[in-house]
Amino acid sequence: MAVALIILAAGKGTRMMSDLPKVLHEIAGGSLLVHAMMSGSNLEPERTVVIAGHEATTVGAAALAYDNGTIVVIQEKQLGTGHAVLQAREALADFDGDVIVLYGDTPFIKSGTLDAMLSARTESDVVVLGFEAVDPGRYGRLIMEGETLQRIVEFKDATDKERTIQLCNSGVILAKADVLFDLLDAVSDDNLACEYYLTDTIGIASARGLITTVVRCDETETVGINSRMELASAEAMFQVNARKNAMANGVSLHAPDTVYFSHDTYIGPDTVVEPNVVFAVGVTVENNATIRSFSHLEGCHVSRGSVIGPYARLRPGAELAENVKIGNFVEIKNAVIEADVKINHLSYIGDAHVGERTNIGAGTITCNYDGVSKHSTTIGKGVFIGSNTMLVAPVKLGDESMTASGTVVTKNVPEGDMAVGRARQENKSGFARRIMQRFKSCADSTQKEP
Ligand code: UD1
Ligand code: CA
């Protein structure tokens, strides 16, 4: 059956103490909202409806940036989770499948868990995702009768006895669209919070003779983020998992605790990652590469056999072919570096194309910015760039050309030529010794003066 997602993201998130809406705070370089959307996206939903309210324009834009087919619906007033889900009714009016409700502030629900809920749906009308909480705190409690869920009671409204129940509501709920909206029509705000609770649909479903079951998942999947502390511990949880996954997939991490991954990092087997490396968003590394210590990679691709760092910075658009060497204090931005190229020390290569087997000497800079526009540098195959060359873009260097150290290249260099652009050296015979003696005698006479 077709699946639609409703993601609740209208709340302010007061406890974050932030101008940024809660669901746009990030874990591993992805917003909480995008994490929630990613959990659901493996089900290939036919429709995704995001309920936005607080800072709706920004939240809506983030949802559309992730999936431009998303339907963003505004909940003007946040009158409760049940009221929030009802806002999706029109967007799903002609949708005749299962609906899964996710929360925008709950980033770690696994897609396998949602699959298990869909399987459970074949034998029941409503499926709720529950978990055994070590410390159930303020979560809603699941009131069971055997394997059937009778109702959910919110913490605020629960009796002391109900509060001892450890089986809690994650917030994720699944039902056919028409069933869900029919149930929500019957929900009132007659409770201590004066809110329309999504959770009240369960008691109503039981009263109507519908069958409601619970699928259980691990507590780590259901963590919701409400404060900066919770955001930080969720980030730590994510990193622990990402490191484990990388190692399970054949990546060597010399000091796993010091390597930071993004939600979309991919690293191939037999790649070695030394201590203190950051993979910001948009990085893919193929097999058998080495990422040496203190390197920072973002929005780049590293092909097999390449060695990066130590202390290298790969910025967005760095596209590295096989067996490239990028050494210490080298920055690459928006540049294609072909196979077997060496850029080993202290260089900036931006808006460039570097042909295979080219060697770029220490201290080389592509002067790509004139204060107004960016310009590109094209370097051919097998080129030798002498140390401290300034390549003033736009400029092209032909295959197997050379530049002398210290050259400021302002004109194209034809294939096979050598560019020399620096002041000619002159040696003044004995001058160094003479001038040193003069300096010393001057210094002596000033010290003797009273
Ligand atoms: C909810 C559940 C509770 C469950 C817990 C799990 C209800 C009534 N309670 O409580 O049983 O244990 O989640 O974390 O559902 N939102 C809107 N519009 C609204 C209200 C909320 O979009 O009018 C969004 C929030 O932005 C948030 C999500 O819904 O992303 C959950 O709302 P929240 O107020 O945090 O619910 P809880 O009190 O945590
Ligand atoms: Ca919450």
Side-chain angles (χ1 to χ4, degrees):
M1 196 186 293
V3 177
L5 300 177
I6 299 177
I7 302 181
L8 305 191
K12 181 163 191 287
T14 318
R15 280 192 282 154
M16 295 302 287
M17 306 297 284
S18 176
D19 287 340
L20 191 68
K22 176 166 77 173
V23 294
L24 296 189
H25 282 262
E26 290 185 348
I27 291 175
S31 66
L32 299 177
L33 177 64
V34 162
H35 280 275
M37 291 177 82
M38 284 193 309
S39 318
S41 69
N42 284 359
L43 304 175
E44 295 180 354
E46 196 169 282
R47 249 175 257 188
T48 299
V49 184
V50 168
I51 312 296
H54 178 72
E55 295 281 346
T57 318
T58 339
V59 171
L64 287 162
Y66 175 73
D67 172 2
N68 63 8
T70 306
I71 304 166
V72 180
V73 174
I74 311 289
Q75 184 192 23
E76 295 290 352
K77 281 190 185 155
Q78 283 80 64
L79 302 179
T81 48
H83 179 260
V85 174
L86 265 180
Q87 309 307 306
R89 174 177 249 158
E90 217 173 291
L92 296 175
D94 57 342
F95 177 78
D96 180 36
D98 279 326
V99 170
I100 296 184
V101 178
L102 297 172
Y103 289 172
D105 66 352
T106 307
F108 295 148
I109 307 283
K110 291 188 178 147
S111 47
T113 301
L114 300 179
D115 283 332
M117 290 179 74
L118 286 170
S119 313
R121 237 289 285 141
T122 55
E123 282 162 22
S124 47
D125 301 295
V126 184
V127 184
V128 167
L129 182 63
F131 62 101
E132 293 285 346
V134 177
D135 172 16
R138 306 186 61 81
Y139 286 114
R141 307 297 207 270
L142 303 186
I143 315 286
M144 304 293 292
E145 220 176 81
E147 273 309 293
T148 313
L149 178 61
Q150 289 301 305
R151 61 191 171 90
I152 302 178
V153 60
E154 285 306 298
F155 175 81
K156 278 185 195 157
D157 307 299
T159 62
D160 285 347
K161 187 156 176 258
E162 286 167 339
R163 286 179 181 182
T164 64
I165 295 171
Q166 283 183 299
L167 183 60
C168 293
N169 176 30
S170 70
V172 184
I173 184 169
L174 160 65
K176 262 198 83 193
D178 52 350
V179 172
L180 183 64
F181 292 123
D182 277 355
L183 291 169
L184 281 167
D185 278 336
V187 169
S188 79
D189 63 353
D190 181 17
N191 52 55
L192 285 174
C194 297
E195 281 184 12
Y196 294 90
Y197 290 159
L198 174 61
T199 44
D200 278 356
T201 53
I202 305 304
I204 298 165
S206 304
R208 291 183 182 175
L210 299 177
I211 299 170
T212 302
T213 47
V214 174
V215 164
R216 290 170 171 78
C217 72
D218 194 79
E219 193 173 356
T220 51
E221 280 185 57
T222 66
V223 284
I225 311 301
N226 299 296
S227 66
R228 306 262 179 179
M229 294 276 279
E230 287 171 2
L231 187 70
S233 60
E235 175 77 47
M237 264 173 69
F238 180 94
Q239 295 300 336
V240 167
N241 259 323
R243 291 162 190 151
K244 276 190 194 154
N245 287 341
M247 290 186 280
N249 291 328
V251 179
S252 283
L253 304 181
H254 288 181
D257 290 352
T258 67
V259 177
Y260 282 81
F261 292 95
S262 286
H263 63 94
D264 60 354
T265 307
Y266 173 81
I267 304 181
D270 292 319
T271 281
V272 174
V273 181
E274 290 185 1
N276 295 300
V277 170
V278 175
F279 295 100
V281 289
V283 176
T284 50
V285 179
E286 294 182 7
N287 302 12
N288 276 306
T290 304
I291 314 296
R292 305 200 57 198
S293 289
F294 302 104
S295 294
H296 189 285
L297 291 78
E298 179 180 4
C300 63
H301 175 78
V302 176
S303 299
R304 59 186 66 215
S306 290
V307 181
I308 310 302
Y311 297 97
R313 176 150 186 227
L314 301 184
R315 290 176 51 206
E319 175 68 44
L320 277 48
E322 290 76 22
N323 303 316
V324 160
K325 299 233 172 1
I326 304 295
N328 37 238
F329 306 108
V330 171
E331 174 181 345
I332 312 279
K333 184 215 78 170
N334 185 34
V336 175
I337 312 295
E338 301 286 10
D340 304 306
V341 165
K342 293 193 179 88
I343 312 173
N344 276 332
H345 335 265
L346 300 158
S347 290
Y348 170 63
I349 304 296
D351 303 312
H353 187 283
V354 181
E356 58 195 51
R357 291 175 288 102
T358 283
N359 189 314
I360 300 211
T364 297
I365 307 283
T366 52
C367 311
N368 59 331
Y369 187 49
D370 58 14
V372 179
S373 314
K374 299 277 171 69
H375 302 283
S376 57
T377 302
T378 308
I379 304 174
K381 296 177 194 167
V383 173
F384 184 91
I385 305 284
S387 296
N388 199 31
T389 295
M390 299 294 118
L391 299 159
V392 183
V395 71
K396 286 191 176 137
L397 291 87
D399 293 348
E400 284 155 28
S401 59
M402 276 177 108
T403 70
S405 300
T407 293
V408 179
V409 180
T410 52
K411 288 191 295 209
N412 291 348
V413 183
E415 189 182 324
D417 282 9
M418 179 175 189
V420 190
R422 62 187 183 204
R424 190 172 287 277
Q425 181 174 333
E426 194 187 336
N427 293 339
K428 300 193 183 224
S429 177
F431 189 82
R433 267 200 199 114
R434 284 202 303 280
I435 204 162
M436 285 313 284
Q437 272 161 7
R438 195 188 311 155
F439 289 161
K440 276 186 195 140
S441 62
C442 275
D444 287 351
S445 63
T446 17
Q447 275 162 14
K448 276 177 206 144
E449 277 171 22

